[in-house]
Amino acid sequence: MVDVILGLQWGDEGKGKIVDYFAPNYDIIARFQGGPNAGHTLYVGGKKVVLHQIPSGVFHENTVNLIGNGVVLDPVTLKKECDTVAGFGVDVRKNMFISQRTHLILPTHRALDKASELQKGNDKIGSTLKGIGPAYMDKTGRNGLRVGDLLDKNFTTSYIRLRLKHQRLLDNFNFQEDITAWEEEFFEAIEFLRSLNVVNGEYFINEGLSAGKKVLAEGAQGSMLDIDFGTFPFVTSSNTTTSGVCNGLGVAPQKIRDVMGVTKAYCTRVGSGPFPTELHDETGEELRKLGNEFGATTGRPRRCGWIDLVALKYACMINGVTKVIMTKADVLDQFKKLQVCTGYEIDGKESAYIPFQMTRHQINPVLKSFAGWNQDTSKITNPADLPVTMKEYVAFINQFVGANVSHISNGPGRDQIVTV
């Protein structure tokens, strides 16, 4: 069977650590969507490592890692990551595989991303400018190049043809970008990519399942950034929800067992877009400081606020979440009072639903107050030792969203996680 770990908020929930924690229980870890706009932070031997493309199980010797067809792959980013991982004694040629059907991010995709975002002016969506959106547009427009195309002798011809098409689009934007250095890096990385294990991903994973292998599907970003169900248009370009596992790996729905949804004990968001519980005061700044809330990929300061249970319940519903994993609970240790959002006041009326277009309404959060635990929880390993007020906080969330918190992460270390 396939178990799934994905984000339930706007990304940055700490999924990398959670995947790393569960990885020893699985034979295959598979990324099913997203690109190098994702940043999964791990601590290996006390050293911080941020992975953008490689699945988070790469540091476990007996675990195989698959980059699935639903991912868009930047060869340059991948090569840099492989070099970093090699510094820890890991040989990706032994334990990492890439689906032939995975689409490539070209240098001109990055230029198009930048041109498109600049044209939006004040309506920017907060793109990471990694070329993700344009790469997915080429995929749905049936123009893209895939990893399997690298093995074709006509790859360079196909690349030039697509590059010319992109150049015409850039001319329409009246945008100039010297991509010479990007292209040099790209073709160096392409040669490296050819030396890796390229496989027919859907057969690879289904044959593994037939042989009794346990698979963990790793998502990037978060459910509220899903292209269909997120806060459109301030979303990513892929399906970040459970349905993306089937499309992004080639597995049937009945193969999916547990869906483990990751949420922070509070809320953050990077970039533009609606955020009903955002705090623009000292409390929001304190959350940012204590949680070190700066983007793993971009370094941008994250917007911070109280946990949004309307959005969390919605995310649990569309994903079929069976277990909730709460991260960064220790960040709330110093707060004497906490709040949670239990409803939206929209145009004077209270609602328990996510509206079709959040940007068209004035949304005020309906907040419920809780006593904070106001003590250091970072060294707790036994659930019985968790503060009573934390247990009350978690119990309310369980009841509200209809899925129970199974694990609480109380620090960045691998061992800082409490099984509830």
Side-chain angles (χ1 to χ4, degrees):
M1 300 296 285
V2 179
D3 291 340
V4 183
I5 288 181
L6 45 72
L8 297 177
Q9 297 171 307
W10 284 282
D12 308 309
E13 300 94 350
K15 296 179 292 297
K17 172 192 168 172
I18 302 305
V19 173
D20 182 53
Y21 175 81
F22 284 105
N25 303 324
Y26 294 88
D27 303 297
I28 301 171
I29 311 295
R31 265 283 300 272
F32 64 87
Q33 50 72 227
N37 52 347
H40 290 179
T41 303
L42 309 176
Y43 287 85
V44 183
K47 293 182 180 178
K48 180 180 176 180
V49 184
V50 180
L51 298 176
H52 303 276
Q53 300 260 235
I54 298 175
S56 299
V58 71
F59 294 104
H60 296 272
E61 188 177 349
N62 298 319
T63 302
V64 168
N65 298 271
L66 174 69
I67 297 176
N69 60 275
V71 172
V72 286
L73 187 68
D74 181 347
V76 175
T77 300
L78 182 69
K79 184 178 183 301
K80 288 177 181 175
E81 264 181 50
C82 290
D83 291 342
T84 299
V85 167
F88 288 85
V90 176
D91 184 358
V92 294
R93 290 177 177 87
K94 291 182 179 177
N95 73 345
M96 188 181 76
F97 298 80
I98 307 170
S99 171
Q100 294 170 326
R101 298 180 187 272
T102 303
H103 278 251
L104 294 168
I105 298 173
L106 276 53
T108 41
H109 283 138
R110 291 169 60 188
L112 283 166
D113 204 354
K114 189 174 179 181
S116 176
E117 188 77 339
L118 284 172
Q119 192 192 48
K120 290 183 174 73
N122 293 331
D123 296 323
K124 289 181 176 69
I125 61 171
S127 169
T128 55
L129 307 180
K130 303 288 184 182
I132 314 296
Y136 275 116
M137 286 171 70
D138 268 344
K139 177 177 180 175
T140 56
R142 294 158 292 186
N143 295 303
L145 293 172
R146 301 182 290 178
V147 171
D149 293 324
L150 296 178
L151 308 178
D152 190 310
K153 66 180 187 296
N154 295 319
F155 174 77
T156 303
T157 302
S158 300
Y159 172 85
I160 292 169
R161 188 182 301 122
L162 187 53
R163 184 190 189 281
L164 288 170
K165 182 194 174 208
H166 290 165
Q167 189 58 56
R168 287 193 292 272
L169 292 171
L170 289 166
D171 290 344
N172 288 337
F173 280 118
N174 196 25
F175 179 83
Q176 298 292 323
E177 182 82 49
D178 184 0
I179 63 167
T180 306
W182 292 357
E183 281 196 316
E184 286 177 10
E185 277 189 317
F186 177 80
F187 278 102
E188 281 179 24
I190 284 294
E191 288 308 308
F192 172 77
L193 190 50
R194 286 188 173 116
S195 73
L196 301 180
N197 301 305
V198 176
V199 295
N200 191 316
E202 56 274 27
Y203 282 105
F204 180 88
I205 203 155
N206 280 288
E207 285 170 2
L209 288 167
S210 296
K213 303 285 188 186
K214 291 194 288 184
V215 176
L216 181 62
E218 176 184 14
Q221 290 90 37
S223 299
M224 298 307 293
L225 292 175
D226 185 272
I227 186 68
D228 284 294
F229 299 106
T231 50
F232 190 88
F234 302 96
V235 292
T236 194
S237 304
S238 58
N239 285 113
T240 59
T241 48
T242 309
S243 61
V245 175
C246 300
N247 294 332
L249 295 177
V251 296
Q254 64 263 37
K255 296 291 185 185
I256 293 174
R257 185 178 57 182
D258 272 336
V259 178
M260 295 175 271
V262 186
T263 176
K264 282 177 181 167
Y266 50 100
C267 250
T268 64
R269 178 164 196 164
V270 171
S272 306
F275 184 1
T277 64
E278 184 174 8
L279 294 167
H280 299 280
D281 56 11
E282 291 178 1
T283 303
E285 188 56 44
E286 188 74 358
L287 279 171
R288 185 178 299 111
K289 186 178 85 174
L290 293 172
N292 191 28
E293 294 296 353
F294 299 89
T297 298
T298 62
R300 290 182 293 185
R302 294 176 185 142
R303 300 154 64 192
C304 297
W306 298 120
I307 194 167
D308 184 339
L309 297 188
V310 178
L312 192 62
K313 184 175 183 178
Y314 171 77
C316 287
M317 174 184 72
I318 60 176
N319 284 301
V321 168
T322 57
K323 296 176 182 176
V324 175
I325 298 166
M326 180 181 286
T327 59
K328 290 201 163 184
D330 56 302
V331 174
L332 300 182
D333 284 355
Q334 295 184 32
F335 290 88
K336 293 181 180 179
K337 188 177 102 172
L338 307 174
Q339 292 188 298
V340 303
C341 172
T342 59
Y344 294 160
E345 187 182 282
I346 303 174
D347 302 330
K349 295 180 181 178
E350 190 170 327
S351 172
Y353 294 149
I354 298 286
F356 160 67
Q357 185 61 284
M358 293 180 91
T359 53
R360 292 180 188 167
H361 304 277
Q362 175 63 45
I363 300 175
N364 295 311
V366 178
L367 298 171
K368 178 177 174 62
S369 296
F370 285 82
W373 36 96
N374 201 28
Q375 69 179 77
D376 182 7
T377 62
S378 62
K379 295 177 180 62
I380 293 176
T381 56
N382 187 337
D385 296 333
L386 293 171
V388 172
T389 45
M390 180 190 275
K391 291 177 182 176
E392 290 171 350
Y393 184 78
V394 171
F396 182 83
I397 292 170
N398 290 347
Q399 183 180 23
F400 193 97
V401 304
N404 289 339
V405 172
S406 63
H407 296 77
I408 296 174
S409 174
N410 55 344
R414 276 181 174 175
D415 56 339
Q416 289 180 291
I417 191 160
V418 181
T419 303
V420 181

